[in-house]
Amino acid sequence: MSAAEGSAPPLLDARGLVKHYPVRGGFFSRQSAVVRAVDGVSFRVRRGETFSLVGESGCGKSTLGRVLVRLEDPTDGVLRFGGIDTAKFSGRELFRYRSKIQMIFQDPYSSLNPRMTIGEVIREPLEIHRIGRRRQQEERVEQLLREVGLSPDMMERYPHEFSGGQRQRIGIARALALDPELIVADEPLSALDVSVQAQVINLMVHLQREHHFTYVFISHDLMVVEYLSDRIAIMYLGKIVETGTREDIFERPAHPYTRALIASSPVPDPAQRGEVQPIKGEIPSPINPPAGCAFHPRCLFAIDDCRKAVPPLEPAGRESSPEHLAACIRKHEI
């Protein structure tokens, strides 16, 4: 899990990505509003690193992950993979793109077809992309099962015969089948028992070191994010409000929302927590977000200017790295 060189061209480059969902109502089902799930997001992911997207439920991080894999089409924006704009891909272009970027889903049970054996589940991508003959595909499935810590003898079993942790290992094996360059992991630990989470985390780290692929890791668990990540983006109500290296985010957080998330995360010794300032209020509706900074209704440091304009992502300053950016007009004061 080594960070790539800062001067290297990015593997994934998102510029102004937007995903809006229409809200329809009335007798003629006319569009009355839009849900701004992802609202102008820009970031770069370097080859070989783990880039994490963090935020509360409803912030748009999972929707963004689905847009990256192109399970959802972006409403607007540019999405470059290896320097090529993929946002308008369709047909064979999209088919080839999906062989290079795969996804690990949050629920390891619902993401597996209950009517297929796990051997068929893992072999299906190879069949779809016509990679190898039947025997070669079966050998590849056996190899993948060994890599994720399962026995090839399990190939004829069905998903319901496995535990949650084993099912997530099957999902990881399926994601690896096409030897992708990038894997989007959408909350891959949240449905697992705490006792199993550490095993899956260590497996993910080991596989990345062995195969040299890139992760976009989506999570709300800051302890896991701190352990896994090279760089991190904090999302709030469809926008990135802070981004930087792991050290920037956890040692020098600049945005009040980031500070509140870190202060609210569990720590082994409660005496080390200090005075926790909980986030007040509820997340605003993505149908009607607040004017100006979307976080200002819940922010302890908000002033009148926070309500007037959306703050841009700008250098956080202090002792931060050059890539540490925060969208807060008071970031140098708090």
Side-chain angles (χ1 to χ4, degrees), residues 70 118 150 184 214 243:
R70 289 297 309 277
I118 66 163
L150 298 175
V184 176
T214 305
T243 183

Side-chain angles (χ1 to χ4, degrees), residues 43-58:
F43 62 92
R44 292 180 174 183
V45 181
R46 299 171 187 149
R47 211 174 277 274
E49 75 172 346
T50 296
F51 183 88
S52 291
L53 294 168
V54 183
E56 296 171 281
S57 297

Side-chain angles (χ1 to χ4, degrees), residues 222-264:
L222 288 175
M223 294 182 69
V224 174
V225 167
E226 184 177 12
Y227 175 72
L228 283 177
S229 307
D230 296 305
R231 292 188 304 125
I232 300 164
I234 308 295
M235 286 191 70
Y236 185 78
L237 211 64
K239 296 181 182 294
I240 290 178
V241 297
E242 185 168 2
T243 183
T245 65
R246 173 176 51 198
E247 291 75 19
D248 288 333
I249 298 300
F250 285 95
E251 296 178 14
R252 298 173 291 274
H255 197 282
Y257 179 60
T258 307
R259 292 184 173 199
L261 287 178
I262 293 172
S264 301

Side-chain angles (χ1 to χ4, degrees), residues 82-152:
I84 301 172
D85 186 6
T86 69
K88 309 302 180 186
F89 273 3
S90 61
R92 296 194 65 82
E93 290 176 325
L94 184 56
F95 183 77
R96 287 193 293 267
Y97 173 67
R98 283 177 172 159
S99 70
K100 298 177 182 179
I101 178 168
Q102 293 288 299
M103 193 164 191
I104 301 170
F105 295 91
Q106 179 176 356
D107 187 344
Y109 187 73
S110 63
S111 64
L112 303 177
N113 189 333
R115 298 185 179 183
M116 297 173 66
T117 66
I118 66 163
E120 293 170 334
V121 166
I122 299 172
R123 187 163 59 86
E124 187 178 30
L126 301 172
E127 286 186 306
I128 292 172
H129 289 268
R130 299 180 181 178
I131 298 175
R133 297 185 177 180
R134 177 64 178 261
R135 183 55 198 156
Q136 292 171 319
Q137 292 173 356
E138 290 177 348
E139 290 173 353
R140 174 68 171 154
V141 172
E142 292 174 0
Q143 174 195 352
L144 289 166
L145 284 171
R146 292 191 186 97
E147 286 196 45
V148 299
L150 298 175
S151 171

Side-chain angles (χ1 to χ4, degrees), residues 24-331:
R24 302 186 185 276
F27 185 77
F28 295 103
S29 295
R30 292 175 178 171
Q31 180 175 326
S32 58
V34 294
V35 177
R36 302 173 182 271
V38 178
D39 202 20
V41 166
S42 299
F43 62 92
R44 292 180 174 183
V45 181
R46 299 171 187 149
R47 211 174 277 274
E49 75 172 346
T50 296
F51 183 88
S52 291
L53 294 168
V54 183
E56 296 171 281
S57 297
C59 73
K61 59 187 185 298
S62 291
T63 300
L64 177 56
R66 295 176 71 86
V67 170
L68 298 181
V69 182
R70 289 297 309 277
L71 291 176
E72 299 273 3
D73 293 330
T75 304
D76 198 5
V78 175
L79 179 62
R80 292 189 178 95
F81 185 84
I84 301 172
D85 186 6
T86 69
K88 309 302 180 186
F89 273 3
S90 61
R92 296 194 65 82
E93 290 176 325
L94 184 56
F95 183 77
R96 287 193 293 267
Y97 173 67
R98 283 177 172 159
S99 70
K100 298 177 182 179
I101 178 168
Q102 293 288 299
M103 193 164 191
I104 301 170
F105 295 91
Q106 179 176 356
D107 187 344
Y109 187 73
S110 63
S111 64
L112 303 177
N113 189 333
R115 298 185 179 183
M116 297 173 66
T117 66
I118 66 163
E120 293 170 334
V121 166
I122 299 172
R123 187 163 59 86
E124 187 178 30
L126 301 172
E127 286 186 306
I128 292 172
H129 289 268
R130 299 180 181 178
I131 298 175
R133 297 185 177 180
R134 177 64 178 261
R135 183 55 198 156
Q136 292 171 319
Q137 292 173 356
E138 290 177 348
E139 290 173 353
R140 174 68 171 154
V141 172
E142 292 174 0
Q143 174 195 352
L144 289 166
L145 284 171
R146 292 191 186 97
E147 286 196 45
V148 299
L150 298 175
S151 171
D153 297 337
M154 299 176 174
M155 284 178 58
E156 299 305 316
R157 297 185 187 178
Y158 289 86
H160 72 270
E161 299 180 68
F162 294 89
S163 66
Q166 289 174 323
R167 286 196 290 263
Q168 194 59 288
R169 289 172 185 264
I170 296 165
I172 293 171
R174 179 179 57 186
L176 288 173
L178 298 176
D179 198 19
E181 296 180 50
L182 186 145
I183 293 179
V184 176
D186 182 15
E187 298 271 14
L189 308 174
S190 62
L192 306 180
D193 293 339
V194 175
S195 60
V196 179
Q197 289 182 3
Q199 300 172 20
V200 175
I201 292 170
N202 291 331
L203 173 64
M204 293 176 67
V205 171
H206 170 74
L207 290 172
Q208 185 183 39
R209 288 172 177 167
E210 288 291 313
H211 296 279
H212 309 291
F213 53 76
T214 305
Y215 277 128
V216 171
F217 187 80
I218 299 170
S219 180
H220 64 275
D221 190 328
L222 288 175
M223 294 182 69
V224 174
V225 167
E226 184 177 12
Y227 175 72
L228 283 177
S229 307
D230 296 305
R231 292 188 304 125
I232 300 164
I234 308 295
M235 286 191 70
Y236 185 78
L237 211 64
K239 296 181 182 294
I240 290 178
V241 297
E242 185 168 2
T243 183
T245 65
R246 173 176 51 198
E247 291 75 19
D248 288 333
I249 298 300
F250 285 95
E251 296 178 14
R252 298 173 291 274
H255 197 282
Y257 179 60
T258 307
R259 292 184 173 199
L261 287 178
I262 293 172
S264 301
S265 62
V267 293
D269 182 4
Q272 297 178 356
R273 180 190 298 277
E275 185 178 350
V276 177
Q277 295 289 340
I279 305 175
K280 62 180 181 180
E282 301 292 334
I283 300 177
S285 169
I287 297 177
N288 186 27
C293 174
F295 187 59
H296 83 256
R298 309 172 70 195
C299 181
L300 298 173
F301 304 96
I303 57 178
D304 286 342
D305 287 347
C306 297
R307 300 169 175 83
K308 297 177 181 177
V310 178
L313 272 173
E314 295 179 330
R318 300 176 184 172
E319 300 176 357
S320 303
S321 70
E323 58 191 335
H324 186 194
L325 309 175
C328 178
I329 63 173
R330 302 196 65 194
K331 56 184 172 290

